[in-house]
Coordinates of all heavy atoms in Angstrom, one line a residue:
M1 N -97.2 -73.9 175.6 CA -96.7 -72.6 175.8 C -96.8 -72.4 177.4 O -97.8 -72.7 178.1 CB -97.7 -71.6 175.2 CG -97.3 -70.2 175.3 SD -98.4 -69.0 174.5 CE -98.3 -69.6 172.8
S2 N -95.8 -71.9 177.9 CA -95.6 -71.8 179.3 C -96.3 -70.5 179.8 O -96.8 -69.6 179.0 CB -94.2 -71.7 179.7 OG -93.6 -70.5 179.4
A3 N -96.5 -70.3 181.1 CA -97.3 -69.1 181.5 C -96.5 -67.9 181.4 O -97.0 -66.7 181.3 CB -97.5 -69.3 183.1
L4 N -95.1 -67.9 181.1 CA -94.3 -66.7 181.0 C -94.4 -66.2 179.5 O -94.1 -65.0 179.3 CB -92.8 -67.0 181.5 CG -92.7 -67.3 182.8 CD1 -91.2 -67.6 183.1 CD2 -93.1 -66.2 183.8
Q5 N -94.7 -67.1 178.6 CA -94.7 -66.6 177.3 C -96.1 -66.0 176.9 O -97.1 -66.6 177.3 CB -94.4 -67.8 176.4 CG -93.0 -68.3 176.4 CD -92.7 -69.4 175.5 OE1 -93.6 -70.2 175.1 NE2 -91.5 -69.6 175.1
T6 N -96.1 -65.0 176.1 CA -97.4 -64.5 175.6 C -97.5 -64.7 174.1 O -96.5 -64.8 173.5 CB -97.5 -63.0 175.9 OG1 -96.4 -62.3 175.2 CG2 -97.3 -62.6 177.4
P7 N -98.7 -65.0 173.7 CA -98.8 -65.4 172.3 C -98.6 -64.2 171.4 O -98.8 -63.0 171.9 CB -100.3 -65.8 172.2 CG -101.0 -65.2 173.3 CD -99.9 -65.1 174.4
P8 N -98.1 -64.3 170.2 CA -97.8 -63.1 169.4 C -99.1 -62.4 169.1 O -100.2 -63.0 168.9 CB -97.2 -63.8 168.1 CG -97.6 -65.2 168.1 CD -97.7 -65.6 169.5
E9 N -98.9 -61.0 169.0 CA -100.1 -60.3 168.7 C -100.6 -60.4 167.3 O -99.8 -60.4 166.3 CB -99.8 -58.8 169.0 CG -101.0 -57.9 169.0 CD -100.7 -56.5 169.4 OE1 -99.6 -56.1 169.2 OE2 -101.5 -55.8 169.9
D10 N -101.9 -60.4 167.2 CA -102.5 -60.5 165.8 C -102.2 -59.2 165.0 O -102.2 -58.2 165.6 CB -104.0 -60.7 166.0 CG -104.7 -60.9 164.7 OD1 -104.1 -61.3 163.6 OD2 -106.0 -60.7 164.6
P11 N -101.8 -59.4 163.8 CA -101.5 -58.1 162.9 C -102.7 -57.2 162.8 O -102.5 -56.0 162.9 CB -101.1 -58.6 161.7 CG -100.7 -60.1 161.8 CD -101.5 -60.5 163.0
L12 N -103.9 -57.7 162.8 CA -105.1 -56.8 162.7 C -105.2 -56.1 163.9 O -105.4 -54.9 163.9 CB -106.3 -57.7 162.4 CG -107.6 -56.9 162.3 CD1 -107.6 -55.9 161.2 CD2 -108.7 -57.9 162.2
I13 N -105.0 -56.7 165.1 CA -105.2 -55.9 166.4 C -104.0 -54.9 166.5 O -104.4 -53.8 167.0 CB -105.1 -56.9 167.6 CG1 -106.3 -57.8 167.5 CG2 -105.0 -56.2 168.8 CD1 -106.3 -59.0 168.5
A14 N -102.8 -55.2 166.1 CA -101.7 -54.2 166.1 C -102.0 -53.0 165.2 O -101.8 -51.9 165.5 CB -100.4 -54.9 165.7
S15 N -102.6 -53.3 164.0 CA -102.9 -52.2 163.1 C -104.0 -51.3 163.7 O -104.0 -50.0 163.6 CB -103.4 -52.8 161.7 OG -103.7 -51.8 160.9
V16 N -105.0 -51.9 164.2 CA -106.2 -51.2 164.8 C -105.5 -50.3 166.0 O -105.9 -49.1 166.1 CB -107.2 -52.1 165.4 CG1 -108.2 -51.3 166.2 CG2 -108.0 -52.7 164.2
R17 N -104.7 -50.8 166.9 CA -104.1 -50.0 167.9 C -103.2 -48.9 167.4 O -103.3 -47.8 167.9 CB -103.3 -50.9 168.8 CG -104.0 -51.8 169.7 CD -103.1 -52.5 170.8 NE -103.9 -53.3 171.6 CZ -103.6 -54.5 172.0 NH1 -102.5 -55.0 171.7 NH2 -104.5 -55.3 172.8
L18 N -102.5 -49.2 166.2 CA -101.7 -48.1 165.7 C -102.6 -47.0 165.1 O -102.3 -45.7 165.4 CB -100.8 -48.6 164.6 CG -99.9 -47.7 163.9 CD1 -98.9 -47.0 164.8 CD2 -99.2 -48.3 162.7
R19 N -103.6 -47.3 164.5 CA -104.6 -46.4 163.9 C -105.3 -45.5 165.0 O -105.4 -44.3 164.9 CB -105.7 -47.1 163.0 CG -106.6 -46.1 162.5 CD -107.2 -46.5 161.2 NE -108.4 -45.9 160.8 CZ -108.2 -44.7 160.1 NH1 -107.0 -44.2 159.8 NH2 -109.3 -44.0 159.7
G20 N -105.6 -46.2 166.2 CA -106.1 -45.5 167.3 C -105.2 -44.5 167.9 O -105.6 -43.5 168.3
A21 N -103.9 -45.0 168.0 CA -103.0 -44.1 168.5 C -102.7 -42.8 167.7 O -102.5 -41.7 168.1 CB -101.6 -44.8 168.8
R22 N -102.7 -43.1 166.3 CA -102.5 -41.9 165.3 C -103.8 -41.0 165.5 O -103.6 -39.9 165.4 CB -102.4 -42.5 164.0 CG -101.1 -43.1 163.7 CD -101.0 -43.6 162.3 NE -99.7 -44.2 162.0 CZ -99.5 -44.9 161.0 NH1 -100.4 -45.2 160.1 NH2 -98.2 -45.5 160.8
R23 N -104.9 -41.5 165.6 CA -106.2 -40.7 165.7 C -106.1 -39.9 167.0 O -106.4 -38.7 166.9 CB -107.3 -41.6 165.6 CG -108.7 -40.8 165.9 CD -109.8 -41.2 165.0 NE -111.1 -40.5 165.4 CZ -111.4 -39.4 164.8 NH1 -110.7 -38.7 164.0 NH2 -112.5 -38.9 165.1
A24 N -105.8 -40.5 168.1 CA -105.6 -39.8 169.4 C -104.6 -38.7 169.3 O -104.8 -37.5 169.8 CB -105.3 -40.8 170.5
R25 N -103.5 -38.9 168.5 CA -102.5 -37.9 168.4 C -103.0 -36.8 167.5 O -102.7 -35.6 167.9 CB -101.2 -38.5 167.8 CG -100.0 -37.5 167.8 CD -98.8 -38.1 167.1 NE -99.0 -38.3 165.7 CZ -98.4 -39.3 165.1 NH1 -97.6 -40.1 165.7 NH2 -98.7 -39.5 163.8
W26 N -103.8 -37.1 166.5 CA -104.4 -36.1 165.6 C -105.3 -35.2 166.4 O -105.5 -34.1 166.3 CB -105.0 -36.7 164.5 CG -105.7 -35.8 163.4 CD1 -105.0 -34.9 162.7 CD2 -107.0 -35.5 163.4 NE1 -106.0 -34.2 162.0 CE2 -107.3 -34.5 162.5 CE3 -108.2 -35.9 164.1 CZ2 -108.4 -34.0 162.1 CZ3 -109.3 -35.5 163.8 CH2 -109.5 -34.5 162.8
L27 N -106.2 -35.8 167.2 CA -107.2 -35.1 168.0 C -106.4 -34.2 169.1 O -107.0 -33.1 169.3 CB -108.1 -36.1 168.7 CG -109.1 -36.8 167.9 CD1 -109.9 -37.9 168.7 CD2 -110.1 -35.8 167.2
R28 N -105.3 -34.7 169.7 CA -104.6 -33.9 170.6 C -103.8 -32.7 170.0 O -103.9 -31.6 170.4 CB -103.7 -34.8 171.4 CG -102.9 -34.2 172.5 CD -101.9 -35.1 173.1 NE -100.8 -35.4 172.2 CZ -100.5 -36.7 171.8 NH1 -101.2 -37.7 172.3 NH2 -99.6 -36.9 171.0
D29 N -103.1 -33.0 168.9 CA -102.3 -32.1 168.2 C -102.8 -31.3 167.1 O -102.3 -30.2 166.8 CB -100.9 -32.8 167.8 CG -100.2 -33.4 168.9 OD1 -100.3 -33.0 170.1 OD2 -99.3 -34.3 168.6
G30 N -103.8 -31.8 166.5 CA -104.5 -31.1 165.3 C -103.7 -31.5 164.1 O -102.9 -32.4 163.9
E31 N -104.1 -30.9 162.9 CA -103.5 -31.1 161.6 C -102.1 -30.4 161.5 O -101.9 -29.4 162.1 CB -104.4 -30.4 160.6 CG -104.2 -30.8 159.2 CD -104.5 -32.2 158.9 OE1 -105.5 -32.6 159.4 OE2 -103.8 -32.8 158.1
D32 N -101.2 -31.2 160.8 CA -99.9 -30.7 160.6 C -99.9 -29.5 159.7 O -100.7 -29.3 158.8 CB -99.0 -31.8 159.9 CG -98.6 -32.9 160.9 OD1 -98.7 -32.7 162.1 OD2 -98.4 -34.1 160.4
S33 N -98.9 -28.6 159.9 CA -98.8 -27.4 159.1 C -98.3 -27.7 157.7 O -97.8 -28.8 157.4 CB -97.9 -26.4 159.7 OG -96.6 -26.9 159.7
V34 N -98.5 -26.7 156.8 CA -98.0 -27.0 155.4 C -96.5 -27.1 155.4 O -96.0 -27.9 154.7 CB -98.6 -25.7 154.5 CG1 -98.0 -25.8 153.1 CG2 -100.0 -25.7 154.4
A35 N -95.8 -26.3 156.2 CA -94.3 -26.4 156.3 C -94.0 -27.7 156.6 O -93.0 -28.3 156.1 CB -93.8 -25.4 157.2
R36 N -94.6 -28.3 157.7 CA -94.2 -29.8 158.1 C -94.5 -30.7 157.0 O -93.6 -31.7 156.8 CB -95.1 -30.1 159.4 CG -94.6 -31.5 159.9 CD -95.1 -31.7 161.3 NE -95.0 -33.1 161.7 CZ -93.9 -33.5 162.2 NH1 -92.8 -32.8 162.3 NH2 -93.8 -34.8 162.6
R37 N -95.6 -30.5 156.3 CA -95.7 -31.5 155.2 C -94.8 -31.4 154.1 O -94.3 -32.3 153.5 CB -97.3 -31.3 154.6 CG -98.3 -31.5 155.5 CD -98.5 -33.0 155.7 NE -99.6 -33.4 156.5 CZ -99.9 -34.5 156.9 NH1 -99.1 -35.5 156.6 NH2 -101.0 -34.8 157.5
L38 N -94.4 -30.1 153.8 CA -93.3 -29.9 152.7 C -92.0 -30.4 153.2 O -91.3 -31.1 152.4 CB -93.2 -28.4 152.4 CG -94.4 -27.9 151.6 CD1 -94.2 -26.3 151.5 CD2 -94.5 -28.4 150.2
A39 N -91.7 -30.4 154.6 CA -90.5 -30.9 155.1 C -90.5 -32.5 154.9 O -89.4 -33.1 154.6 CB -90.3 -30.5 156.5
Q40 N -91.7 -33.1 155.1 CA -91.8 -34.4 155.0 C -91.6 -34.9 153.5 O -90.9 -36.0 153.3 CB -93.2 -35.0 155.4 CG -93.3 -35.0 157.0 CD -94.7 -35.3 157.3 OE1 -95.7 -35.2 156.6 NE2 -94.9 -35.6 158.6
I41 N -92.1 -34.2 152.6 CA -91.7 -34.5 151.2 C -90.3 -34.3 150.8 O -89.8 -35.2 150.1 CB -92.7 -33.6 150.3 CG1 -94.1 -33.8 150.5 CG2 -92.3 -33.7 148.8 CD1 -95.1 -32.9 149.9
G42 N -89.7 -33.3 151.4 CA -88.2 -33.2 151.2 C -87.5 -34.3 151.8 O -86.5 -34.8 151.1
V43 N -87.8 -34.8 152.8 CA -87.1 -35.9 153.5 C -87.3 -37.1 152.7 O -86.3 -38.0 152.5 CB -87.6 -36.1 155.0 CG1 -87.1 -37.4 155.6 CG2 -87.1 -35.0 155.8
L44 N -88.5 -37.4 152.2 CA -88.7 -38.6 151.3 C -87.9 -38.5 150.1 O -87.3 -39.5 149.7 CB -90.2 -38.6 151.0 CG -91.1 -39.2 152.0 CD1 -92.5 -39.2 151.5 CD2 -90.7 -40.7 152.3
G45 N -87.8 -37.3 149.5 CA -86.9 -37.2 148.4 C -85.4 -37.5 148.6 O -84.8 -38.3 148.0
W46 N -85.0 -37.1 149.8 CA -83.5 -37.3 150.1 C -83.3 -38.8 150.5 O -82.3 -39.4 150.1 CB -83.0 -36.5 151.3 CG -82.7 -35.1 150.8 CD1 -83.4 -34.0 151.1 CD2 -81.6 -34.7 150.0 NE1 -82.7 -32.8 150.4 CE2 -81.7 -33.3 149.7 CE3 -80.6 -35.4 149.3 CZ2 -80.8 -32.6 148.9 CZ3 -79.7 -34.7 148.6 CH2 -79.8 -33.3 148.4
I47 N -84.3 -39.4 151.2 CA -84.2 -40.8 151.5 C -84.1 -41.6 150.2 O -83.4 -42.7 150.2 CB -85.4 -41.2 152.4 CG1 -85.3 -40.6 153.8 CG2 -85.6 -42.7 152.5 CD1 -86.4 -40.9 154.8
T48 N -84.8 -41.2 149.2 CA -84.9 -42.0 147.9 C -83.6 -41.8 147.1 O -83.0 -42.6 146.6 CB -86.1 -41.6 147.2 OG1 -87.2 -41.8 148.0 CG2 -86.3 -42.6 146.0
V49 N -83.1 -40.5 147.1 CA -82.1 -40.1 146.1 C -80.7 -40.5 146.6 O -79.9 -40.9 145.8 CB -82.2 -38.6 145.8 CG1 -81.0 -38.1 145.1 CG2 -83.4 -38.3 145.0
V50 N -80.4 -40.3 147.9 CA -79.1 -40.5 148.4 C -78.5 -42.0 148.1 O -77.4 -42.1 147.6 CB -79.1 -40.1 149.9 CG1 -77.8 -40.6 150.5 CG2 -79.1 -38.6 150.0
P51 N -79.3 -43.0 148.4 CA -78.8 -44.3 148.1 C -78.5 -44.5 146.5 O -77.6 -45.2 146.1 CB -79.9 -45.3 148.5 CG -80.6 -44.5 149.5 CD -80.6 -43.1 149.1
M52 N -79.3 -43.9 145.7 CA -79.2 -43.9 144.2 C -77.9 -43.2 143.8 O -77.1 -43.7 143.1 CB -80.3 -43.3 143.5 CG -81.6 -44.1 143.7 SD -83.1 -43.2 143.1 CE -82.7 -43.1 141.3
L53 N -77.6 -42.1 144.4 CA -76.3 -41.3 144.1 C -75.1 -42.2 144.6 O -74.1 -42.2 143.9 CB -76.4 -40.0 144.8 CG -77.3 -39.0 144.2 CD1 -77.3 -37.7 144.9 CD2 -77.0 -38.7 142.7
A54 N -75.3 -42.8 145.8 CA -74.2 -43.5 146.3 C -73.9 -44.8 145.4 O -72.8 -45.1 145.1 CB -74.5 -44.1 147.8
G55 N -75.0 -45.4 144.9 CA -74.8 -46.4 143.9 C -74.1 -45.9 142.6 O -73.2 -46.7 142.1
I56 N -74.5 -44.8 142.1 CA -73.9 -44.2 140.9 C -72.4 -44.0 141.2 O -71.5 -44.4 140.3 CB -74.6 -43.0 140.5 CG1 -75.9 -43.3 139.9 CG2 -73.8 -42.3 139.4 CD1 -76.8 -42.2 139.6
F57 N -72.0 -43.3 142.3 CA -70.7 -43.0 142.5 C -69.8 -44.2 142.7 O -68.7 -44.4 142.2 CB -70.5 -42.0 143.8 CG -71.0 -40.7 143.5 CD1 -71.8 -40.1 144.3 CD2 -70.5 -40.0 142.4 CE1 -72.4 -38.8 144.1 CE2 -71.0 -38.6 142.1 CZ -71.9 -38.1 143.0
A58 N -70.4 -45.1 143.4 CA -69.6 -46.4 143.6 C -69.4 -47.2 142.4 O -68.4 -47.7 142.0 CB -70.4 -47.3 144.7
G59 N -70.5 -47.2 141.5 CA -70.4 -47.9 140.3 C -69.5 -47.2 139.3 O -68.7 -47.9 138.7
R60 N -69.5 -45.9 139.3 CA -68.5 -45.2 138.3 C -67.1 -45.5 138.8 O -66.2 -45.6 137.9 CB -68.8 -43.8 138.3 CG -70.1 -43.4 137.6 CD -70.3 -43.8 136.1 NE -69.2 -43.2 135.5 CZ -68.6 -43.7 134.3 NH1 -69.0 -44.8 133.9 NH2 -67.6 -43.1 133.7
W61 N -66.8 -45.4 140.0 CA -65.6 -45.8 140.5 C -65.0 -47.1 140.2 O -63.9 -47.4 139.6 CB -65.5 -45.5 142.1 CG -64.1 -45.8 142.7 CD1 -63.0 -45.0 142.5 CD2 -63.7 -47.0 143.2 NE1 -62.0 -45.6 143.2 CE2 -62.3 -46.9 143.6 CE3 -64.3 -48.2 143.6 CZ2 -61.6 -47.9 144.1 CZ3 -63.5 -49.2 144.2 CH2 -62.3 -49.0 144.4
L62 N -65.9 -48.1 140.4 CA -65.6 -49.5 140.0 C -65.4 -49.6 138.5 O -64.5 -50.3 138.1 CB -66.7 -50.5 140.5 CG -66.7 -50.7 142.0 CD1 -68.0 -51.5 142.3 CD2 -65.5 -51.5 142.4
D63 N -66.2 -48.9 137.7 CA -66.1 -49.0 136.3 C -64.8 -48.4 135.7 O -64.2 -48.9 134.8 CB -67.3 -48.4 135.5 CG -68.6 -49.2 135.7 OD1 -68.5 -50.5 135.9 OD2 -69.7 -48.6 135.6
R64 N -64.4 -47.2 136.4 CA -63.2 -46.6 136.0 C -62.0 -47.5 136.4 O -61.0 -47.6 135.7 CB -63.1 -45.2 136.6 CG -63.7 -44.1 135.9 CD -63.3 -42.8 136.5 NE -63.4 -42.8 137.9 CZ -64.3 -42.1 138.6 NH1 -65.2 -41.5 137.9 NH2 -64.5 -42.2 139.9
T65 N -62.0 -48.1 137.6 CA -61.0 -48.9 138.1 C -60.8 -50.1 137.1 O -59.6 -50.6 136.9 CB -61.3 -49.4 139.4 OG1 -61.5 -48.2 140.4 CG2 -60.0 -50.2 140.1
Y66 N -61.8 -50.9 136.8 CA -61.7 -52.1 136.0 C -62.1 -51.9 134.6 O -62.1 -52.9 133.9 CB -62.7 -53.1 136.6 CG -62.2 -53.4 138.1 CD1 -63.0 -53.0 139.2 CD2 -61.0 -54.1 138.3 CE1 -62.7 -53.3 140.4 CE2 -60.7 -54.4 139.6 CZ -61.6 -54.1 140.7 OH -61.1 -54.3 142.0
H67 N -62.3 -50.7 134.1 CA -62.4 -50.3 132.6 C -63.6 -51.3 132.1 O -63.4 -52.0 131.2 CB -61.2 -50.6 131.8 CG -60.0 -49.8 132.4 ND1 -60.0 -48.4 132.2 CD2 -59.0 -50.2 133.0 CE1 -58.8 -48.0 132.7 NE2 -58.2 -49.0 133.3
S68 N -64.8 -51.2 132.8 CA -65.8 -52.1 132.4 C -67.0 -51.4 131.9 O -68.2 -51.9 132.0 CB -66.2 -52.9 133.6 OG -66.6 -52.1 134.8
G69 N -67.0 -50.1 131.3 CA -68.1 -49.5 130.8 C -69.1 -49.1 131.9 O -68.7 -48.4 132.8
I70 N -70.4 -49.6 131.8 CA -71.3 -49.3 132.9 C -71.8 -50.7 133.5 O -72.8 -50.7 134.1 CB -72.5 -48.6 132.4 CG1 -73.3 -49.4 131.3 CG2 -72.2 -47.2 131.9 CD1 -74.7 -48.9 130.9
F71 N -70.9 -51.6 133.6 CA -71.2 -52.9 134.1 C -71.6 -52.8 135.5 O -72.4 -53.4 136.0 CB -69.8 -53.9 133.9 CG -70.1 -55.2 134.5 CD1 -70.9 -56.1 133.7 CD2 -69.6 -55.5 135.7 CE1 -71.2 -57.4 134.2 CE2 -69.8 -56.9 136.3 CZ -70.6 -57.7 135.6
W72 N -70.9 -51.9 136.4 CA -71.2 -51.8 137.8 C -72.2 -50.6 138.0 O -72.9 -50.7 139.0 CB -69.9 -51.6 138.6 CG -69.0 -52.7 138.7 CD1 -67.9 -52.9 138.0 CD2 -69.3 -54.0 139.5 NE1 -67.3 -54.2 138.3 CE2 -68.2 -54.8 139.2 CE3 -70.3 -54.3 140.3 CZ2 -68.1 -56.1 139.8 CZ3 -70.2 -55.6 140.9 CH2 -69.1 -56.4 140.6
T73 N -72.2 -49.6 137.2 CA -73.0 -48.5 137.6 C -74.4 -48.8 137.4 O -75.3 -48.4 138.4 CB -72.7 -47.3 136.5 OG1 -71.3 -47.1 136.7 CG2 -73.5 -46.1 136.8
A74 N -74.9 -49.5 136.4 CA -76.4 -49.7 136.3 C -76.9 -50.7 137.3 O -78.0 -50.2 138.0 CB -76.6 -50.4 134.9
P75 N -76.2 -51.7 137.8 CA -76.8 -52.5 138.8 C -76.8 -51.8 140.1 O -77.7 -52.0 140.9 CB -76.0 -53.8 138.8 CG -75.1 -53.7 137.7 CD -75.2 -52.4 137.1
L76 N -75.8 -51.1 140.4 CA -75.6 -50.3 141.7 C -76.7 -49.3 141.8 O -77.1 -48.9 142.8 CB -74.2 -49.9 142.0 CG -73.3 -50.9 142.3 CD1 -71.8 -50.4 142.5 CD2 -73.6 -51.7 143.6
L77 N -77.1 -48.6 140.6 CA -78.0 -47.6 140.6 C -79.3 -48.3 141.0 O -80.2 -47.8 141.7 CB -78.1 -46.9 139.2 CG -79.2 -46.0 139.0 CD1 -79.3 -44.9 140.0 CD2 -79.3 -45.5 137.5
M78 N -79.6 -49.4 140.3 CA -80.9 -50.0 140.6 C -80.9 -50.5 142.0 O -82.0 -50.4 142.8 CB -81.1 -51.3 139.7 CG -81.4 -50.9 138.3 SD -82.8 -50.1 138.0 CE -82.1 -48.6 137.4
L79 N -79.8 -51.1 142.6 CA -79.7 -51.5 144.0 C -80.1 -50.2 144.9 O -80.8 -50.3 145.9 CB -78.4 -52.1 144.3 CG -78.2 -52.6 145.7 CD1 -79.2 -53.9 146.0 CD2 -76.8 -53.0 146.0
G80 N -79.5 -49.1 144.6 CA -79.7 -47.8 145.4 C -81.2 -47.4 145.2 O -81.7 -46.9 146.2
A81 N -81.8 -47.5 144.2 CA -83.2 -47.2 143.9 C -84.1 -48.1 144.8 O -85.0 -47.6 145.5 CB -83.6 -47.3 142.4
G82 N -83.8 -49.4 144.7 CA -84.6 -50.3 145.6 C -84.4 -50.0 147.1 O -85.3 -50.1 147.9
L83 N -83.1 -49.8 147.4 CA -82.8 -49.4 148.8 C -83.5 -48.1 149.3 O -84.1 -48.1 150.4 CB -81.3 -49.4 149.1 CG -80.9 -49.0 150.6 CD1 -81.4 -50.1 151.6 CD2 -79.4 -48.9 150.6
G84 N -83.5 -47.2 148.4 CA -84.1 -45.9 148.8 C -85.6 -45.9 148.8 O -86.2 -45.4 149.7
C85 N -86.2 -46.7 148.0 CA -87.7 -46.8 148.0 C -88.1 -47.7 149.3 O -89.1 -47.4 149.9 CB -88.2 -47.6 146.7 SG -88.1 -46.6 145.3
W86 N -87.3 -48.7 149.6 CA -87.6 -49.5 150.8 C -87.5 -48.6 152.0 O -88.3 -48.8 152.9 CB -86.6 -50.7 150.9 CG -86.7 -51.5 152.1 CD1 -87.8 -52.4 152.3 CD2 -85.9 -51.5 153.2 NE1 -87.6 -53.0 153.5 CE2 -86.5 -52.4 154.2 CE3 -84.8 -50.8 153.5 CZ2 -85.8 -52.7 155.5 CZ3 -84.2 -51.0 154.7 CH2 -84.8 -51.9 155.7
S87 N -86.4 -47.8 152.1 CA -86.2 -46.9 153.2 C -87.4 -45.9 153.4 O -87.8 -45.6 154.5 CB -84.9 -46.2 153.1 OG -83.8 -47.0 153.2
A88 N -87.8 -45.4 152.2 CA -88.9 -44.5 152.2 C -90.2 -45.1 152.8 O -91.0 -44.5 153.5 CB -89.1 -43.8 150.8
W89 N -90.5 -46.4 152.3 CA -91.6 -47.0 152.7 C -91.6 -47.3 154.1 O -92.6 -47.1 154.8 CB -91.6 -48.4 151.9 CG -92.8 -49.3 152.4 CD1 -92.8 -50.4 153.2 CD2 -94.2 -49.1 151.9 NE1 -94.0 -50.8 153.3 CE2 -94.8 -50.1 152.5 CE3 -94.8 -48.3 151.1 CZ2 -96.2 -50.3 152.4 CZ3 -96.2 -48.4 150.8 CH2 -96.8 -49.4 151.5
R90 N -90.5 -47.7 154.7 CA -90.4 -47.9 156.1 C -90.6 -46.6 157.0 O -91.2 -46.5 158.0 CB -89.0 -48.5 156.6 CG -89.0 -50.0 156.0 CD -87.9 -50.8 156.6 NE -87.6 -50.5 158.0 CZ -87.9 -51.3 159.1 NH1 -88.5 -52.3 158.8 NH2 -87.6 -50.9 160.3
W91 N -90.1 -45.5 156.4 CA -90.2 -44.2 157.1 C -91.7 -43.7 157.1 O -92.2 -43.2 158.1 CB -89.3 -43.1 156.4 CG -89.3 -41.9 157.1 CD1 -88.6 -41.6 158.3 CD2 -90.0 -40.7 156.7 NE1 -88.8 -40.2 158.6 CE2 -89.7 -39.6 157.7 CE3 -90.8 -40.3 155.6 CZ2 -90.1 -38.3 157.7 CZ3 -91.4 -39.1 155.6 CH2 -91.0 -38.1 156.6
I92 N -92.3 -43.9 156.0 CA -93.7 -43.6 155.9 C -94.5 -44.4 156.8 O -95.5 -44.0 157.6 CB -94.4 -43.7 154.4 CG1 -93.7 -42.6 153.5 CG2 -95.8 -43.7 154.3 CD1 -94.0 -42.8 152.1
K93 N -94.2 -45.7 156.9 CA -95.1 -46.6 157.7 C -94.8 -46.3 159.2 O -95.7 -46.5 160.0 CB -94.8 -48.0 157.6 CG -95.3 -48.6 156.2 CD -95.1 -50.1 156.2 CE -95.9 -50.7 157.2 NZ -96.6 -52.0 156.9
S94 N -93.6 -45.8 159.5 CA -93.4 -45.5 161.0 C -93.9 -44.1 161.4 O -94.1 -43.9 162.6 CB -91.9 -45.5 161.3 OG -91.3 -44.3 160.6
A95 N -94.3 -43.3 160.4 CA -94.8 -41.9 160.8 C -96.2 -41.9 161.1 O -96.9 -42.9 161.0 CB -94.5 -41.0 159.6

């Protein structure tokens, strides 16, 4: 390893730093309001539902176009659900 490269940070140290930063922000700003918490719940709902609806609409269009029953709708709905849950997880972890 050359002098210009730094070793990758240990995940435990990164987690401790993140927790410390969140605690410092909480001490500085205080507790979030009820309205802010409700807004976060609403955002999580939309983050989860929108990819599922997109999968349903795309699947229905493909099924109508190719006369295939629900061949495309079901898998695209599941794909949308997975994508929505993954997006929600990432949003929660970044907050």
Side-chain angles (χ1 to χ4, degrees):
M1 186 178 304
S2 71
L4 296 177
Q5 292 179 337
T6 59
E9 187 173 30
D10 184 20
L12 180 61
I13 293 172
S15 178
V16 168
R17 284 189 181 142
L18 179 62
R19 179 150 170 86
R22 286 179 180 165
R23 174 140 174 87
R25 186 178 69 209
W26 179 78
L27 289 172
R28 184 184 65 239
D29 299 338
E31 191 68 34
D32 287 338
S33 68
V34 173
R36 181 164 171 84
R37 293 291 185 185
L38 289 173
Q40 289 175 338
I41 292 169
V43 168
L44 278 175
W46 282 110
I47 286 174
T48 306
V49 169
V50 168
M52 292 171 63
L53 291 175
I56 290 172
F57 288 130
R60 291 301 299 152
W61 178 78
L62 286 168
D63 287 336
R64 274 192 312 251
T65 302
Y66 297 111
H67 307 289
S68 57
I70 62 167
F71 181 78
W72 291 106
T73 303
L76 289 178
L77 170 62
M78 293 297 118
L79 184 67
L83 179 63
C85 289
W86 177 77
S87 297
W89 178 259
R90 290 195 35 107
W91 187 76
I92 288 171
K93 285 190 69 148
S94 69

